Amino acid sequence: MSLRVTALSQGCDLTEFDEKESISGVQQLKSSVQKGIRSRLLELYPYLDNYIDQILPKKDTFRIVKCHDHIEIMVNSAGELLFFRHREGSWMPTLRLLHKYPFFLPMQQVDKGAIRFVLSGANIMCPGLTSPGARMSSVEKGSVVAVMAEGKEHALAIGITSLSTKEIAEVNKGVGIENCHYLNDGLWQMKPVK
């Protein structure tokens, strides 16, 4: 099952994210809305099935933090940032959550030369995914993926594929993955929301 995302990150800029200026409101979710989000997450990320009760316990209360540029962040009762989305798009995990449960997103690995560009917020270009140090999992266009780096253990970014992996290999130029959230961006640095 491929992970489909509607034009999620058009204009989604998490680099200039400042929690004092960026948060416009916090809303507690009704239990019926929480159930809907849980089932949608399991649809998108089937590998979460055995872990969903650890990530989103049924008895916990969850809130949506509304931010600038139509970004929403789901937090638990402890304020831990779990998932985010842009303009009613699909929920994507934060890197902190992905580091705890690294298996639930398909992984695309960039070569060492791409690391500094990815960490500065650049999109991942096709040549960075097809070079000798890179590896790709087979996914469709519009899939949410973890961006790994050659020689590193944890994901350094989360993005959405602009092309299928087959097309990335064939075309081998242009943007292959749109970078939505990366290590040390504003969302990574954001403190828990109490």
Side-chain angles (χ1 to χ4, degrees), residues 118-190:
V118 174
L119 292 178
S120 66
N123 289 327
I124 294 85
M125 306 306 280
C126 292
L129 294 163
T130 57
S131 64
R135 284 197 315 243
M136 289 192 291
S137 310
S138 181
V139 295
E140 294 300 314
K141 176 181 179 176
S143 298
V144 177
V145 295
V147 179
M148 309 300 287
E150 179 183 10
K152 303 294 179 193
E153 180 184 347
H154 296 290
L156 63 137
I158 293 172
I160 300 170
T161 55
S162 303
L163 305 164
S164 69
T165 44
K166 184 179 180 212
E167 292 168 327
I168 289 171
E170 287 171 3
V171 175
N172 203 22
K173 67 179 177 185
V175 176
I177 300 172
E178 189 174 343
N179 192 346
C180 295
H181 171 34
Y182 55 92
L183 287 176
N184 228 11
D185 68 5
L187 183 57
W188 173 265
Q189 292 178 0
M190 191 172 168

Side-chain angles (χ1 to χ4, degrees), residues 38-81:
R38 276 174 66 102
S39 61
R40 182 69 183 127
L41 287 171
L42 288 172
E43 225 176 85
L44 284 170
Y45 310 115
Y47 294 114
L48 275 185
D49 194 25
N50 295 330
Y51 303 91
I52 195 75
D53 289 329
Q54 292 170 20
I55 297 169
L56 300 175
K58 289 180 181 169
K59 299 286 185 201
D60 202 352
T61 55
F62 294 90
R63 293 171 292 152
I64 296 294
V65 178
K66 296 190 180 274
C67 305
H68 71 32
D69 291 338
H70 307 280
I71 296 169
E72 295 180 323
I73 305 168
M74 186 188 327
V75 299
N76 60 17
S77 57
E80 186 181 3
L81 306 145

